[in-house]
Structures are given as C-alpha cells and as structure tokens.
Amino acid sequence: MTHTFLDVGVIINCRQVNSSKKYATSCALRVIRDKVEKAVGLLLQKIENVKEIVQKYYGSHRTKARLGDPKTIAKKIAQLLYSHGYADVAFLFQVIAQYPIRDVEDLIERSLLRTRRRIDPMNFLTAIYLHVRKNRHTFADKVRGDVEKSLDQLGIEVVYVDDSDIWRKLGPGPDREDKYQILCIEKYRRDNALNNVTLLTTDHALAQTAKLYNVEAHLVSCAASA
Amino acid sequence: MAGEAAVAVALGSLPEEYLDVKSLIELHRRLREVRQKIVKRMLEELRGETPEEILAKASVVLQQHAPEVEELLEELKRRGVDPIKASLEATVEGYAEVLRLDAPVGGGKTLADLLYSGDKLVGKMHEVLMAFFMRYTEIECEPKCAPEDAERLARLATLELAVTTLITLFRQGKLDKEQLLTALDRAIDEILVA
C-alpha cells in the first residue's frame, strides 16, 4: 500500500477533497507555522507597501465592484502580493483564503460583516493587519492548530514525526524547508517500515529534491499564482 | 461612576467627526456638548502635545467633569436606559456606518475615495477607526455590562477622547502631519491592548 503525503504547497494552495487516504507530516505543519510567523512579521513591517498594492488594484474599481466575500478577497490579495514580489506575505492571505482560521472567522463575523454584507478589501486588509499586530506572538500557532483540525476533518491524517535531529542537522539554505519536509517523510517511512511513499507537491524543485532521497514525487498544478 | 461618565461622554466621539448627527436625542446632544467643553478645556490646559500627556490629561479632565455627566446619566436611568449598554450599541452602529466608507467628505468624494487614493493620514485614521471598532465589537453587554468590560470601555472612551483631541490639535496647526501620524500609530498600540 502506498502512503501519499501532501507538501506545504499542496496543503495551502489546493482545494482538498475527501477522496483516497492522504497524509501530512507534523513537519509540514511546522513549516506552515513558521511561514505564517514570517508573513506576520513582514506584514507588520511592510503594511504601507501592501496597502499601496491593494489600493492601486481596487482603486480603479467602482465601490460596489470592490466588495466581496472574505475568502475571495483574501485570495485576490494573495495573488496581488505574489505578483508584486511579496510571496512571503502572500502566504498568510493564501492560508486565510484556503482554511477557516477561527480568530479570523470571528473577526469577520463580529466586526466586518456589521459594516456591510459584502466586505470592502481595505477594511479586510486593515482588520487582518490590526489583528496580527495585536496577536503577533500567538497567531502562527493558532493557524497551525486550525489547519491541522481542518485536515483532520477532510480525512487527511497528520502523522507525528520526531524532527529534533532532522531540523538541527540541516544547514541554512534556501532549500532547507524542502529537505526538511522530505527527510521527515523518509524518517516516517523508516520508523514504520513502509515500502512505498509518494509526495504530492506543487513545487518542481521540491520534486527534484525528493528524488535524491528516493521519495517518489508527483507534481500537482494549483499554485497561488495560477 | 467616573468610568460610567467617561463612557457616556466620550464613547463614539470619533465617528461623529465623520457623520452628520442631526438625529441625536436631546440627552445625547447634551452629552456631546459636555464632551466639546471637555475637549476645549483640554486644548486650553495642555502644555505639551505628546500622546501620553494628552491621554493623562483626558483621564483627569473626564473625571473632573463626571458630576456634570452623572446628572444626565441619572435622567437616562430614570427612563430605564442602561447608559453604558446604550452608549456601546450607538457607538458600534456609528463605527459600522463610518466604516461603510461611503460617507461624503466634501468635493463629491467619499471616505473610500480618499482611502483608495493612498492618502497616508486617511489610511492611519482608517486604522484607528478599525482598531476601536474591533475592540468595541469584542465587548458584549448582554444583558448587562460586566464590571471588567465597563472598565475596558472607560479606558477606550478616554483613548477616543485623546485621539479626538489630537485631531483637533492637527486642525488647529499645533501638530504637523508627521507628528499626528506618529501619535496615531502609538494610540493604535494603546487601543489594541486596552
């Protein structure tokens, strides 16, 4: 039997459907947590640039055409940031677009939907910015927990991998997170004497790296920029 | 009691900077007059213009005017109105209305037009308004305000009065744009933790 694992790109960018059994490692969730933490730090630093990108795009729209549902706005902001070279910040909005993050859902319900039934993008961006400004030290952990809960509800099993050695031994470098995800899968395979494991990924480079560790990888096309 | 007076007199002062408030009932109009008197007194008595000084001053002046406000509060209570709950409800409505962003701001423009034009000061004021709105909508006063929520509302009301004073100082030319931007950004931190 083949165990099919999802990488961070697939978890965050692809709409998950309840089909054949799939797995995600605790390491992938750690990467998501760390990327959200990084995105929060950058959003706090670069809020004026982020606002400018959103203002320029929506500024040419008529008022009513700007308004939308929160998930669509989050997805659009992620796309805009990605195309303007802010992929790290885009990650945060992509997670919000893809998963129900309880704090964010509460914020939308309690505050934003009281202004209008369809939300203004600058109201949405500003509310998210202020929320992470207030909760900068806890937000990433909450997101990790909420993504895990959603995966569980979608029938994607999150398996725990003892990563203490793996992360420490990996040197710094742009592909550190890629190698980390793959080494975690490799360790899980060894620890559980599994014959076949497959990785679904959105990233060509990660698929290549996977081959080096004898992990079969399949490219999936549903990137944030698509 | 001073807290209750602060909430009654200062809560919701910011949306009134943007909205036409002709429909205020007589008692609310009188509360607004007291607020204007407080802001005027603050402007006369302020020696410096740092947010800390303004906040400290707002707290003191609000306390000094509490007896005057309490008379109005007693009248509200006699009519069966819970002043804090009523202030919170009206304030949330006021903020929701301003944050619809379609209020006219002159020259045939709306708040949204200014916000999407990239005006830095409007952007910062929008953050301040959203920060207050988010905090107020976190508080539930059903069926009554819990004492800790009433205290939090009093702190937010004092901050709202301080921000109103900062804006007035800017309009009077006593603060420049950069000073106001910095002061408002510091006020946001205070609002988020209040």
Side-chain angles (χ1 to χ4, degrees):
Chain A
M1 183 187 142
T2 300
H3 278 60
T4 304
F5 286 87
L6 308 181
D7 84 333
V8 170
V10 172
I11 294 172
I12 296 307
N13 296 314
C14 303
R15 203 171 72 84
Q16 311 298 340
V17 286
N18 226 335
S19 57
S20 59
K21 178 86 179 167
K22 293 191 177 61
Y23 298 85
T25 62
S26 53
C27 308
L29 288 178
R30 177 183 170 159
V31 172
I32 290 170
R33 184 223 165 272
D34 290 353
K35 279 174 162 292
V36 168
E37 188 175 53
K38 187 178 180 186
V40 165
L42 286 169
L43 179 65
L44 296 179
Q45 274 176 36
K46 305 282 181 189
I47 182 62
E48 292 307 324
N49 307 54
V50 172
K51 273 188 184 181
E52 201 180 320
I53 291 165
V54 173
Q55 281 162 339
K56 269 193 185 154
Y57 176 77
Y58 284 103
S60 57
H61 290 53
R62 291 170 61 129
T63 305
K64 280 189 179 167
R66 270 183 211 134
L67 308 176
D69 72 275
K71 295 285 178 195
T72 308
I73 292 171
K75 180 118 188 128
K76 189 71 217 174
I77 292 177
Q79 285 173 353
L80 289 169
L81 293 174
Y82 194 89
S83 63
H84 282 80
Y86 287 92
D88 288 335
V89 189
F91 188 86
L92 171 66
F93 289 92
Q94 184 59 30
V95 175
I96 291 171
Q98 195 75 1
Y99 287 93
I101 307 301
R102 205 178 64 194
D103 276 10
V104 174
E105 304 281 312
D106 284 352
L107 175 65
I108 291 164
E109 189 72 30
R110 199 181 52 233
S111 304
L112 294 179
L113 287 174
R114 282 169 106 145
T115 61
R116 288 177 184 272
R117 284 176 63 198
R118 294 170 73 229
I119 291 170
D120 180 276
M122 279 302 286
N123 275 351
F124 179 77
L125 171 63
T126 304
I128 297 291
Y129 161 69
L130 292 169
H131 182 79
V132 299
R133 181 166 165 173
K134 185 184 173 198
N135 302 286
R136 71 189 79 173
H137 301 300
T138 54
F139 188 72
D141 285 318
K142 285 189 173 182
V143 169
R144 184 208 177 282
D146 287 346
V147 171
E148 181 170 1
K149 202 165 137 191
S150 291
L151 291 177
D152 182 51
Q153 284 165 354
L154 289 160
I156 297 163
E157 187 178 339
V158 176
V159 294
Y160 178 77
V161 180
D162 180 5
D163 65 346
S164 45
D165 275 358
I166 300 171
W167 187 252
R168 198 162 38 83
K169 282 180 188 164
L170 281 169
D175 60 349
R176 189 183 193 198
E177 283 169 353
D178 288 359
K179 283 184 185 164
Y180 170 66
Q181 287 189 70
I182 294 160
L183 287 172
C184 281
I185 295 170
E186 165 61 17
K187 184 167 192 298
Y188 186 78
R189 172 165 67 181
R190 264 189 287 116
D191 291 350
N192 294 278
L194 303 176
N195 289 325
N196 299 311
V197 292
T198 302
L199 173 67
L200 297 185
T201 178
T202 52
D203 184 346
H204 184 73
L206 196 139
Q208 294 300 315
T209 310
K211 278 185 193 163
L212 301 175
Y213 295 91
N214 294 321
V215 173
E216 192 188 343
H218 293 302
L219 269 174
V220 179
S221 176
C222 53
S225 54
Chain B
M1 207 50 158
E4 199 175 53
V7 172
V9 82
L11 211 69
S13 43
L14 271 182
E16 288 184 15
E17 295 281 319
Y18 295 90
L19 297 174
D20 188 1
V21 283
K22 281 181 204 137
S23 62
L24 286 177
I25 61 166
E26 174 63 15
L27 269 174
H28 285 165
R29 197 180 55 74
R30 280 159 64 193
L31 282 168
R32 194 177 176 220
E33 281 167 8
V34 177
R35 183 200 307 155
Q36 284 164 346
K37 208 157 72 180
I38 291 172
V39 172
K40 190 165 174 271
R41 200 179 135 195
M42 281 180 64
L43 292 169
E44 284 164 3
E45 293 181 11
L46 274 174
R47 307 222 179 278
E49 283 95 21
T50 67
E52 289 79 10
E53 283 169 281
I54 292 169
L55 192 58
K57 191 74 187 169
S59 186
V60 172
V61 177
L62 272 169
Q63 273 186 11
Q64 287 167 348
H65 281 263
E68 200 177 335
V69 180
E70 270 158 27
E71 193 186 313
L72 297 172
L73 294 182
E74 286 309 314
E75 210 171 317
L76 274 173
K77 285 176 188 169
R78 271 198 300 276
R79 294 182 192 182
V81 176
D82 177 338
I84 293 189
K85 194 175 151 188
S87 290
L88 180 62
E89 280 169 8
T91 298
V92 167
E93 271 180 40
Y95 272 91
E97 195 176 336
V98 172
L99 288 167
R100 251 168 244 142
L101 304 175
D102 51 9
V105 287
K109 294 195 169 181
T110 64
L111 202 51
D113 293 332
L114 294 185
L115 184 61
Y116 280 91
S117 74
D119 184 303
K120 289 268 182 296
L121 194 50
V122 174
K124 192 55 72 185
M125 265 317 295
H126 178 247
E127 284 178 23
V128 171
L129 289 163
M130 185 60 81
F132 274 120
F133 183 53
M134 284 163 60
R135 296 313 312 273
Y136 291 139
T137 53
E138 278 170 12
I139 299 170
E140 281 183 24
C141 283
E142 291 294 342
K144 269 191 75 173
C145 257
E148 61 271 24
D149 282 336
E151 273 175 36
R152 198 180 339 154
L153 278 173
R155 285 198 297 275
L156 287 165
T158 309
L159 277 163
E160 217 179 316
L161 194 73
V163 170
T164 307
T165 308
L166 282 167
I167 294 165
T168 312
L169 285 168
F170 170 71
R171 285 183 182 148
Q172 291 178 344
K174 292 176 183 166
L175 282 180
D176 65 27
K177 189 176 168 181
E178 283 309 312
Q179 286 173 312
L180 182 62
L181 283 170
T182 307
L184 291 178
D185 201 57
R186 279 154 74 179
I188 289 169
D189 281 329
E190 299 283 337
I191 298 162
L192 294 177
V193 299

